[in-house]
mmCIF file of all heavy atoms in Angstrom:
data_model
loop_
_atom_site.group_PDB
_atom_site.id
_atom_site.type_symbol
_atom_site.label_atom_id
_atom_site.label_comp_id
_atom_site.label_asym_id
_atom_site.label_seq_id
_atom_site.Cartn_x
_atom_site.Cartn_y
_atom_site.Cartn_z
ATOM 1 N N ARG D 578 96.236 96.888 132.795
ATOM 2 C CA ARG D 578 95.315 97.263 133.880
ATOM 3 C C ARG D 578 95.340 96.154 134.985
ATOM 4 O O ARG D 578 95.181 96.465 136.044
ATOM 5 C CB ARG D 578 93.917 97.417 133.259
ATOM 6 C CG ARG D 578 93.853 98.830 132.519
ATOM 7 C CD ARG D 578 92.259 99.203 132.444
ATOM 8 N NE ARG D 578 91.495 98.040 131.968
ATOM 9 C CZ ARG D 578 91.282 97.869 130.666
ATOM 10 N NH1 ARG D 578 91.591 98.827 129.714
ATOM 11 N NH2 ARG D 578 90.632 96.812 130.318
ATOM 12 N N HIS D 579 95.303 94.821 134.466
ATOM 13 C CA HIS D 579 95.183 93.781 135.355
ATOM 14 C C HIS D 579 96.589 93.772 136.232
ATOM 15 O O HIS D 579 96.381 93.561 137.471
ATOM 16 C CB HIS D 579 95.172 92.420 134.694
ATOM 17 C CG HIS D 579 93.784 92.252 134.078
ATOM 18 N ND1 HIS D 579 93.504 91.276 133.232
ATOM 19 C CD2 HIS D 579 92.640 92.723 134.400
ATOM 20 C CE1 HIS D 579 92.246 91.318 132.783
ATOM 21 N NE2 HIS D 579 91.634 92.269 133.525
ATOM 22 N N LEU D 580 97.722 94.118 135.724
ATOM 23 C CA LEU D 580 98.908 94.168 136.495
ATOM 24 C C LEU D 580 98.778 95.238 137.480
ATOM 25 O O LEU D 580 99.312 95.193 138.704
ATOM 26 C CB LEU D 580 100.170 94.442 135.682
ATOM 27 C CG LEU D 580 100.624 93.091 134.878
ATOM 28 C CD1 LEU D 580 101.722 93.505 133.923
ATOM 29 C CD2 LEU D 580 101.274 92.067 135.881
ATOM 30 N N GLY D 581 98.077 96.370 137.183
ATOM 31 C CA GLY D 581 97.921 97.483 138.105
ATOM 32 C C GLY D 581 96.601 97.256 139.032
ATOM 33 O O GLY D 581 96.353 98.080 139.815
ATOM 34 N N GLY D 582 96.055 96.162 139.036
ATOM 35 C CA GLY D 582 94.883 95.805 139.905
ATOM 36 C C GLY D 582 93.657 96.576 139.512
ATOM 37 O O GLY D 582 92.849 96.959 140.388
ATOM 38 N N VAL D 583 93.431 96.878 138.248
ATOM 39 C CA VAL D 583 92.209 97.632 137.766
ATOM 40 C C VAL D 583 91.593 96.647 136.765
ATOM 41 O O VAL D 583 92.155 95.984 135.971
ATOM 42 C CB VAL D 583 92.751 99.000 137.113
ATOM 43 C CG1 VAL D 583 91.536 99.734 136.643
ATOM 44 C CG2 VAL D 583 93.628 99.683 137.897
ATOM 45 N N GLY D 584 90.182 96.719 136.924
ATOM 46 C CA GLY D 584 89.504 95.882 136.042
ATOM 47 C C GLY D 584 89.111 96.612 134.624
ATOM 48 O O GLY D 584 89.877 97.289 134.056
ATOM 49 N N ASP D 585 87.887 96.416 134.153
ATOM 50 C CA ASP D 585 87.626 96.879 132.786
ATOM 51 C C ASP D 585 87.000 98.245 132.774
ATOM 52 O O ASP D 585 86.070 98.461 132.156
ATOM 53 C CB ASP D 585 86.584 95.844 132.173
ATOM 54 C CG ASP D 585 87.241 94.615 131.599
ATOM 55 O OD1 ASP D 585 88.416 94.739 131.317
ATOM 56 O OD2 ASP D 585 86.534 93.605 131.587
ATOM 57 N N GLU D 586 87.424 99.135 133.739
ATOM 58 C CA GLU D 586 86.893 100.416 133.813
ATOM 59 C C GLU D 586 87.260 101.346 132.617
ATOM 60 O O GLU D 586 88.370 101.141 132.068
ATOM 61 C CB GLU D 586 87.208 101.100 135.073
ATOM 62 C CG GLU D 586 88.638 101.284 135.403
ATOM 63 C CD GLU D 586 88.939 102.002 136.641
ATOM 64 O OE1 GLU D 586 88.867 101.321 137.682
ATOM 65 O OE2 GLU D 586 89.393 103.180 136.636
ATOM 66 N N GLU D 587 86.419 102.259 132.410
ATOM 67 C CA GLU D 587 86.669 103.382 131.292
ATOM 68 C C GLU D 587 86.678 104.636 131.981
ATOM 69 O O GLU D 587 86.060 104.796 132.970
ATOM 70 C CB GLU D 587 85.787 103.180 130.106
ATOM 71 C CG GLU D 587 85.872 101.916 129.480
ATOM 72 C CD GLU D 587 85.137 101.916 128.197
ATOM 73 O OE1 GLU D 587 85.447 102.818 127.310
ATOM 74 O OE2 GLU D 587 84.204 101.101 127.887
ATOM 75 N N LEU D 588 87.339 105.637 131.356
ATOM 76 C CA LEU D 588 87.457 106.939 132.032
ATOM 77 C C LEU D 588 85.978 107.620 132.245
ATOM 78 O O LEU D 588 85.807 108.482 133.115
ATOM 79 C CB LEU D 588 88.246 107.861 131.036
ATOM 80 C CG LEU D 588 89.710 108.023 131.425
ATOM 81 C CD1 LEU D 588 90.346 109.189 130.528
ATOM 82 C CD2 LEU D 588 89.972 108.344 132.786
ATOM 83 N N SER D 589 85.102 107.100 131.413
ATOM 84 C CA SER D 589 83.773 107.725 131.465
ATOM 85 C C SER D 589 82.846 107.038 132.558
ATOM 86 O O SER D 589 81.649 107.326 132.684
ATOM 87 C CB SER D 589 83.208 107.785 130.186
ATOM 88 O OG SER D 589 83.024 106.485 129.649
ATOM 89 N N ASP D 590 83.380 105.904 133.179
ATOM 90 C CA ASP D 590 82.586 105.207 134.064
ATOM 91 C C ASP D 590 82.190 106.103 135.320
ATOM 92 O O ASP D 590 82.948 106.902 135.606
ATOM 93 C CB ASP D 590 83.194 103.926 134.577
ATOM 94 C CG ASP D 590 83.220 102.852 133.521
ATOM 95 O OD1 ASP D 590 82.411 103.003 132.514
ATOM 96 O OD2 ASP D 590 83.899 101.862 133.642
ATOM 97 N N SER D 591 81.048 105.707 136.022
ATOM 98 C CA SER D 591 80.676 106.483 137.176
ATOM 99 C C SER D 591 81.480 105.999 138.399
ATOM 100 O O SER D 591 82.116 104.922 138.428
ATOM 101 C CB SER D 591 79.240 106.311 137.344
ATOM 102 O OG SER D 591 78.883 104.972 137.894
ATOM 103 N N VAL D 592 81.473 106.941 139.355
ATOM 104 C CA VAL D 592 82.245 106.652 140.636
ATOM 105 C C VAL D 592 81.842 105.326 141.304
ATOM 106 O O VAL D 592 82.660 104.559 141.579
ATOM 107 C CB VAL D 592 82.074 107.809 141.603
ATOM 108 C CG1 VAL D 592 82.677 107.463 142.941
ATOM 109 C CG2 VAL D 592 82.888 109.043 140.984
ATOM 110 N N PRO D 593 80.563 105.096 141.521
ATOM 111 C CA PRO D 593 80.134 103.813 142.213
ATOM 112 C C PRO D 593 80.586 102.535 141.376
ATOM 113 O O PRO D 593 81.112 101.708 142.002
ATOM 114 C CB PRO D 593 78.631 103.943 142.222
ATOM 115 C CG PRO D 593 78.264 105.353 142.048
ATOM 116 C CD PRO D 593 79.319 105.963 141.126
ATOM 117 N N GLU D 594 80.462 102.659 140.047
ATOM 118 C CA GLU D 594 80.935 101.601 139.221
ATOM 119 C C GLU D 594 82.448 101.281 139.583
ATOM 120 O O GLU D 594 82.825 100.207 139.628
ATOM 121 C CB GLU D 594 80.806 101.826 137.781
ATOM 122 C CG GLU D 594 79.323 101.628 137.261
ATOM 123 C CD GLU D 594 79.270 102.185 135.877
ATOM 124 O OE1 GLU D 594 80.016 103.128 135.490
ATOM 125 O OE2 GLU D 594 78.305 101.814 135.152
ATOM 126 N N ILE D 595 83.203 102.408 139.525
ATOM 127 C CA ILE D 595 84.643 102.217 139.721
ATOM 128 C C ILE D 595 85.015 101.734 141.119
ATOM 129 O O ILE D 595 85.908 100.856 141.337
ATOM 130 C CB ILE D 595 85.442 103.533 139.374
ATOM 131 C CG1 ILE D 595 85.180 103.741 137.813
ATOM 132 C CG2 ILE D 595 86.999 103.330 139.645
ATOM 133 C CD1 ILE D 595 85.847 105.010 137.352
#
Side-chain angles (χ1 to χ4, degrees):
Chain D
R578 284 201 313 266
H579 286 164
L580 282 170
V583 185
D585 283 335
E586 62 178 68
E587 297 190 56
L588 267 188
S589 56
D590 284 350
S591 71
V592 170
E594 279 168 344
I595 296 182

